[in-house]
Amino acid sequence: MEFNLSGFPAAEAQQKKVESVRLLVLGSGPAGLSAALYAARAELTPLVLTGVEIGGQAGLTFIIENYPGFPEGVGGYQLGELFQKQAEKFGARVEFETASAVDLSRRPFKISTYGADYLADSLVIATGASSNHLGIPGEKELTGHGVSYCATCDGYFFKEKRVVVVGGGDSALEEGLFLTRYASSVTIVHRRDSLRAGAILQKRAHDNPKVNFVWNSVLTAIVGDHLVEGVKLKNVVSGEESLLPTDGVFIFIGHTPNTELFKGQLEMDERGYIKTDMLMQTSVPGVYAAGEVADPNFRQVVTSAGMGAAAAMQAIKYLEKEEVQSPGVA
Ligand SMILES: Cc1cc2nc3c(=O)[nH]c(=O)nc-3n(C[C@H](O)[C@H](O)[C@H](O)COP(=O)(O)OP(=O)(O)OC[C@H]3O[C@@H](n4cnc5c(N)ncnc54)[C@H](O)[C@@H]3O)c2cc1C
């Protein structure tokens, strides 16, 4: 049997579906689904490829309290479902597929998944960002065995257990507070002596009797035989090292944009965020980027959704102009 480079039988590769679309959206987080909603209402029947994280990062968090319109807060996963339902209502198609390659040097643009090649007249990239890892001994080995990047997903397994949360931003505090529902104690380890998180979250954390802090400290290793048993800490001021027993480690130390697919094809900044102008336009006309993939600053559901809507509005204008310039070409 013949195999192609990706290890799949060649015959299977030959049977790949090829489909033309006016607008393709990569990603099903707040940016992607908002773009899909706007494009759908413009009757472009956009196709959304979800990637593995349906609903995006927002789907990983238990409750979102700062998305307007929900005074009591809304479940992260539930909000993603509502975004999707609204986009589909107006004609967006949502496929559970992940892009494995893109070719932006040709027109229409080619976006390949395992089962299909999509030819798209315009593209909105909303592939978001993924959690950063500490890169210390024990982290990889014990992921899923006490090391986690998602409190909503894994908090339940830590009933009456001790957990360590790494980080000092909003995510670390929000998720740390969520973990107090289950854990007997939540120790927040932060490399500085003050937090970056917003004032309300800081107050809630300081007021919660289950939460305590280890300041000016970093993890140098996660230890345990099959399951997490403790973390090795180093005080960055005194240099002192210690071992803190714990049953779980939750890591919230920022994100890296998911832009690997576009390297060499789109302009990016030194951290790998896609560069756009104020109209969400990338360095390739007809290709727009929205949400965390292009935004190292705000990184919120509301800002990502806003960027997604803006990107779609620009894509709609772009397609209209293309039609005028080359009438009859779909
Ligand atoms: C734990 C946690 C708690 C948070 N809490 C809040 C909060 O309370 N309030 C708030 O406003 N924000 C919060 N945020 C931030 C918020 O979730 C993000 O800012 C927002 O989700 C970014 O939206 P996005 O659409 O740009 O990207 P993402 O949500 O990252 O979505 C990216 C999408 O792209 C898809 N994708 C990736 N690669 C591919 C590919 N190759 N092909 C196809 N699809 C692909 C993924 O599957 C995913 O669907 C939180 C984040 C985390 C991690």
Side-chain angles (χ1 to χ4, degrees):
M1 187 183 281
E2 249 184 85
F3 285 84
N4 63 18
L5 280 179
S6 43
F8 296 120
E12 237 173 87
Q14 279 162 15
Q15 286 162 14
K16 248 187 167 185
K17 168 177 91 167
V18 178
E19 187 184 333
S20 295
V21 293
R22 298 289 279 142
L23 174 65
L24 190 136
V25 178
L26 277 181
S28 59
L33 290 172
S34 301
L37 168 64
Y38 274 69
R41 292 196 75 242
E43 300 193 326
L44 286 174
T45 328
L47 173 66
V48 180
L49 304 186
T50 63
V52 289
E53 251 179 34
I54 299 179
Q57 294 173 67
L60 297 177
T61 191
F62 175 69
I63 189 155
I64 293 180
E65 291 184 322
N66 53 5
Y67 189 75
F70 296 91
E72 305 308 322
V74 57
Y77 191 76
Q78 191 196 348
L79 185 60
E81 283 183 329
L82 290 170
F83 279 158
Q84 181 173 338
K85 206 170 160 189
Q86 195 171 356
E88 285 176 331
K89 179 181 156 186
F90 292 101
R93 274 172 54 209
V94 179
E95 297 285 349
F96 185 62
E97 284 186 87
T98 299
S100 50
V102 296
D103 184 352
L104 306 180
S105 66
R106 47 159 289 163
R107 277 163 203 267
F109 307 119
K110 184 170 160 191
I111 296 97
S112 304
T113 68
Y114 170 55
D117 282 333
Y118 295 103
L119 305 177
D121 294 328
S122 59
L123 175 67
V124 173
I125 299 169
T127 48
S130 297
S131 305
N132 286 345
H133 294 190
L134 290 165
I136 55 173
E139 181 182 20
K140 202 168 166 193
E141 299 82 336
L142 292 166
T143 292
H145 300 270
V147 174
S148 171
Y149 303 86
C150 176
T152 314
C153 320
D154 299 326
Y156 183 81
F157 301 113
F158 293 87
K159 272 189 180 161
E160 293 311 315
K161 302 216 161 135
R162 302 155 301 180
V163 300
V164 160
V165 167
V166 187
D170 282 346
S171 289
L173 257 62
E174 263 166 27
E175 303 308 301
L177 284 163
F178 172 73
L179 286 167
T180 60
R181 290 163 181 250
Y182 306 106
S184 54
S185 71
V186 174
T187 303
I188 297 178
V189 177
H190 187 40
R191 63 192 160 142
R192 302 189 212 288
D193 61 1
S194 61
L195 299 162
R196 270 185 298 113
I200 292 180
L201 284 171
Q202 290 204 34
K203 182 171 182 328
R204 280 189 205 158
H206 285 296
D207 289 351
N208 191 310
K210 281 190 180 178
V211 176
N212 54 80
F213 293 90
V214 175
W215 301 109
N216 293 320
S217 296
V218 293
L219 271 64
T220 54
I222 302 173
V223 292
D225 186 17
H226 300 302
L227 285 176
V228 168
E229 289 166 22
V231 291
K232 284 188 184 167
L233 297 176
K234 183 175 179 181
N235 186 301
V236 292
V237 178
S238 66
E240 196 184 314
E241 293 187 291
S242 57
L243 180 70
L244 176 69
T246 185
D247 305 298
V249 183
F250 286 79
I251 299 164
F252 304 105
I253 52 160
H255 295 90
T256 300
N258 296 320
T259 52
E260 201 60 40
L261 280 179
F262 316 103
K263 281 202 173 131
Q265 303 196 62
L266 291 177
E267 278 180 25
M268 297 181 193
D269 73 7
E270 63 290 347
R271 288 169 293 178
Y273 287 91
I274 295 175
K275 280 189 182 172
T276 65
D277 61 16
M278 282 183 70
L279 303 176
M280 306 298 127
Q281 169 69 59
T282 68
S283 50
V284 173
V287 178
Y288 301 85
E292 283 204 21
V293 76
D295 166 27
N297 298 308
F298 303 115
R299 298 174 30 231
Q300 292 293 295
V301 174
V302 68
T303 48
S304 301
M307 289 171 82
M313 287 160 87
Q314 286 307 120
I316 293 161
K317 278 192 193 161
Y318 168 83
L319 290 170
E320 277 167 2
K321 217 163 113 194
E322 289 281 291
E323 256 166 38
V324 172
Q325 276 167 7
S326 46
V329 179

